[in-house]
């Protein structure tokens, strides 16, 4: 496909990777079969909290076909799974960080924790499962944290916020739980590990979002393998949503055991294992207050959240309810004083970590539920109250540590109102009432921070790794291009969008660009894909490498054209002497780089291959306005979303079709949280009660309306060369409060818990009656 007249940027190019996926030619970890393949099985704890009195492996070791049995005893001297972010409490003390063992040893602290293929004598202990009552509970998860508190962390100016709230004319208060979610990617977690005695190296195929980070953590902190002796390959990955970012025990155990057995070992999770052992998301209990003056201006926001961390600290668990949550509590508003305090608690449940949005959905829910509720309490139009408090000048420094570079929130809201036909709502409400139904409308105006950065600031806030990205551009002699990116695609369409960026920049056909990712043996380095960072961070690293390629090509072209380098311009795939018709195509320059018969070798080395690292100077800040309209059947409490409008400002758009698809997916997950999904543990035993699709309700097509999705004219990001922001998580961030706001408006209540199931809604209606 040759470049369109206006280039590839902004074109809805069909996804190149879909052909293999739709015809069954994708290769996932479970598809990989190695010579002398063996299979691993994990026996998992039947109890949420228990002492292991005896672990008997004799029967298992004697069973036919069993080649090895390994227990926590074998792993007791290796490192635990590390946490990548240090959080300090308000008193300056570091968070409690108990060892996260590969296999349980001495005690089990969550139901489903891996043990081995064994018979186990348990002594059951008191279990802690409820977020709200975990701190100070009689059941102690870790001796290192006798009150179950991992940290108590603060953000903002507490004294100034308290003073602002004391002087407020009106205070809106809400208490709510942000329900626990269980990720359900279409491909469960899987791993296949092998060891080669010939060179003492390991290869791990794994369904993972960031293979270089997986390798680094496993080698440096757990198994002590030399990093260059472990190759990690993440082939096609069937969705992740954050749950495949982390280093897990299962793949670590397989790598270790592959050397002991001298054979490759493969494990693919059963869906029931995934429910038990994958990192979960959300699970906050929050009390929040919004203070307003007599004119409806926000004067202060005060928030206290208890965040469930699960039994152990997962890779980024500590940062999600702190750095990624409280720093977004300003939302789109000029609230001058904000203070948030977060208590992270251990419980006998699955670890809680990043899940699509990771802290940003929780923050948006707090802010947007408060704002909508305040509007109704004051008798104001919710859109008007938002407009009175929107940020309108940029850059804008929030009181919780972020600096927004650009935005136009009023324009986005007006566009959403027009698309949603808010003006016609009254007529639609009357029509619903005539049918005995209740109709409501709810808003949500969100902002998120994407492309976590920069490394030096993140390091000062506790990050234990850099947050840059790497890219390599390899131009072949014929002008074809292979790009190696540290970002990883697991449904985002990188093979298409990255190719569009490269083809547009070099002025070459799209088919001449190949994108490689997911293999530490091929890719220079990379931090992977999460936090809507791929295009803004990974794409910029590629652009910087392209700039180096173009600059070197300019030197070669100057030699071929016998002109000064300063007179050479590059455009539409050719180098031209400015103001003349004398030019050489990119492919001739690349050939000259590799066939330097008449080439200044004393000034330029052969080849046309460049790499670059990019560390952003700031986050990107996508923002949007969502309008949800629902009908509620008062006889049953059933909720039907009749209309959902989403207008997002993602800056410059590379592929509108892919962006729209990302928003659709995010909306489906956000609506799933608002109406259906809820991970529930028995508060006494700690047993997971929603461990299958019989009990954990996932959204289906008939639960969703036909979305109206548009991107705003946009305010391009000011600090990356593409002007892009991030789009992958937006739908999941902005939609839950819009849905709950609409239901509350429909039935005339102040608050509803998520998920707003028919039972929850019907009960609220009966209480109101």
């Amino acid at each position: 496909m040759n470049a369109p007249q206006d280039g590839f940027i902004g074109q809805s190019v069909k996804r190149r990777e879909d052909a293999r996926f739709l015809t069954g030619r994708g290769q996932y970890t479970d598809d990989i079969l190695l010579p002398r393949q063996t299979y691993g099985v994990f026996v998992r704890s039947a109890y949420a909290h228990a002492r292991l009195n005896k672990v008997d492996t004799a029967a298992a070791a004697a069973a036919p076909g069993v080649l090895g049995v390994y227990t926590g005893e074998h792993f007791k001297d290796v490192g635990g799974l590390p946490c990548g972010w240090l959080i300090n409490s308000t008193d300056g003390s570091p968070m409690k960080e108990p060892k996260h063992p590969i296999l349980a040893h001495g005690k089990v602290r969550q139901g489903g924790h891996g043990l081995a293929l064994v018979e186990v004598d348990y002594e059951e202990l008191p279990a802690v499962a409820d977020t709200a009552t975990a701190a100070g509970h009689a059941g102690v998860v870790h001796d290192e944290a006798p009150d179950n508190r991992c940290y108590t962390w603060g953000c903002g100016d507490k004294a100034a916020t308290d003073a602002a709230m004391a002087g407020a004319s009106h205070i809106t208060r809400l208490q709510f739980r942000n329900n626990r979610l269980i990720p359900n990617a279409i491909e469960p977690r899987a791993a296949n590990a092998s060891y080669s005695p010939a060179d003492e190296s390991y290869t791990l195929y794994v369904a993972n979002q960031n293979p270089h980070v997986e390798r680094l953590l496993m080698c440096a902190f757990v198994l002590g393998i030399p990093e260059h002796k472990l190759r990690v390959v993440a082939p096609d990955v069937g969705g992740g949503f954050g749950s495949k970012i982390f280093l897990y025990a299962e793949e670590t155990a397989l790598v270790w055991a592959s050397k002991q057995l001298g054979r490759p070992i493969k494990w693919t999770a059963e869906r029931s294992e995934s429910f038990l052992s994958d990192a979960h998301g959300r699970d906050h209990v929050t009390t929040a207050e919004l203070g307003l003056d007599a004119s409806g201006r926000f004067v202060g926001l005060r928030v206290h959240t208890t965040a469930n961390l699960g039994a152990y600290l997962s890779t980024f668990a500590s940062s999600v309810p702190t750095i990624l949550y409280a720093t977004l509590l300003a939302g789109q508003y000029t609230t001058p004083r904000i203070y948030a305090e977060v208590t992270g608690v251990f419980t006998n449940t699955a670890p809680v970590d990043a899940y699509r949005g990771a802290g940003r959905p929780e923050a948006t829910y707090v802010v947007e539920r408060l704002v909508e509720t305040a509007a109704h309490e004051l008798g104001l139009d919710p859109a008007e109250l938002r407009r009175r408090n929107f940020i309108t000048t940029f850059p804008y420094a929030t009181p919780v540590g972020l600096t927004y570079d650009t935005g136009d929130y009023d324009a986005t809201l007006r566009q959403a109102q027009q698309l949603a036909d808010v003006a016609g709502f009254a007529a639609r409400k009357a029509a619903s009432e005539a049918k005995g139904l209740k109709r409501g409308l709810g808003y949500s105006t969100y902002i998120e921070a994407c492309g976590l950065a920069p490394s030096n600031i993140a390091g000062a806030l506790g990050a234990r790794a850099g947050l840059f990205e790497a890219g390599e551009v390899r131009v072949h002699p014929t002008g074809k291009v292979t790009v190696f990116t540290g970002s990883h695609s697991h449904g985002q369409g990188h093979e298409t969008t990255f190719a569009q960026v490269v083809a547009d920049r070099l002025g070459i056909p799209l088919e001449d660009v190949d994108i490689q990712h997911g293999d530490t043996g091929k890719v220079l380095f990379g931090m992977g894909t999460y936090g809507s960072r791929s295009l803004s961070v990974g794409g910029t690293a590629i652009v910087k490498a392209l700039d180096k390629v173009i600059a070197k090509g300019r030197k070669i072209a100057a030699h071929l054209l016998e002109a000064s380098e300063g007179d050479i311009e590059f455009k539409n795939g050719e180098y031209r002497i400015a103001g003349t018709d004398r030019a050489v195509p990119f492919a001739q320059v690349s050939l000259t780089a590799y066939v330097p018969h008449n080439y200044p070798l004393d000034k330029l080395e052969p080849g046309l291959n460049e790499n670059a690292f990019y560390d952003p100077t700031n986050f990107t800040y996508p923002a949007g306005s969502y309008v949800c309209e629902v009908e509620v059947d008062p006889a049953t409490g059933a909720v039907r979303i009749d209309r959902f409008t989403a207008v997002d400002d993602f800056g410059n758009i590379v592929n509108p079709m892919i962006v729209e698809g990302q928003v659709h997916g995010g909306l489906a997950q956000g609506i799933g949280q608002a109406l259906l999904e809820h991970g529930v543990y028995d508060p006494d035993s700690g047993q997971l009660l929603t461990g299958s699709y019989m009990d954990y309700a996932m959204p289906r097509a008939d639960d969703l309306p036909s979305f109206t999705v548009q991107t705003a004219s946009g305010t391009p990001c000011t600090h990356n060369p593409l002007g892009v922001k991030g789009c992958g998580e937006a739908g999941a961030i902005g939609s839950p409060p819009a849905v709950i706001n609409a239901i509350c408006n429909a039935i005339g209540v102040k608050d509803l818990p998520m998920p707003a199931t028919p039972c929850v809604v019907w009960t609220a209606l009966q209480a109101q009656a």
Side-chain angles (χ1 to χ4, degrees), residues 44 60 67 103 120 148 233-234 256 283 296 551 564 721:
R44 299 184 182 276
L67 301 179
L103 295 177
V120 182
N148 293 325
V233 182
W256 181 89
D283 205 345
S564 168

Side-chain angles (χ1 to χ4, degrees), residues 28 34 87 92 168 201 205 270 274 282 360 426 505 631 666 690 731:
Y28 300 88
L34 301 175
I87 294 296
S201 69
Y205 297 92
E270 299 288 340
S274 296
R282 316 291 193 254
R360 281 75 53 86
R505 205 83 167 183
E631 271 191 334
T690 53

Side-chain angles (χ1 to χ4, degrees), residues 6-71:
D6 295 330
F8 285 109
I9 302 298
Q11 303 297 321
S12 290
V13 176
K14 290 183 179 179
R15 290 179 16 138
R16 307 163 80 195
E17 48 270 73
D18 283 353
R20 72 175 186 272
F21 294 146
L22 294 174
T23 56
R25 294 176 181 149
Q27 185 180 56
Y28 300 88
T29 298
D30 191 57
D31 294 324
I32 295 167
L33 191 67
L34 301 175
R36 304 178 71 232
Q37 183 74 68
T38 55
Y39 298 87
V41 175
F42 291 88
V43 169
R44 299 184 182 276
S45 172
Y47 295 93
H49 197 196
R51 186 172 286 109
L52 301 177
N53 292 331
K54 183 181 179 182
V55 179
D56 185 353
T57 65
V66 174
L67 301 179
V69 179
Y70 306 107
T71 70

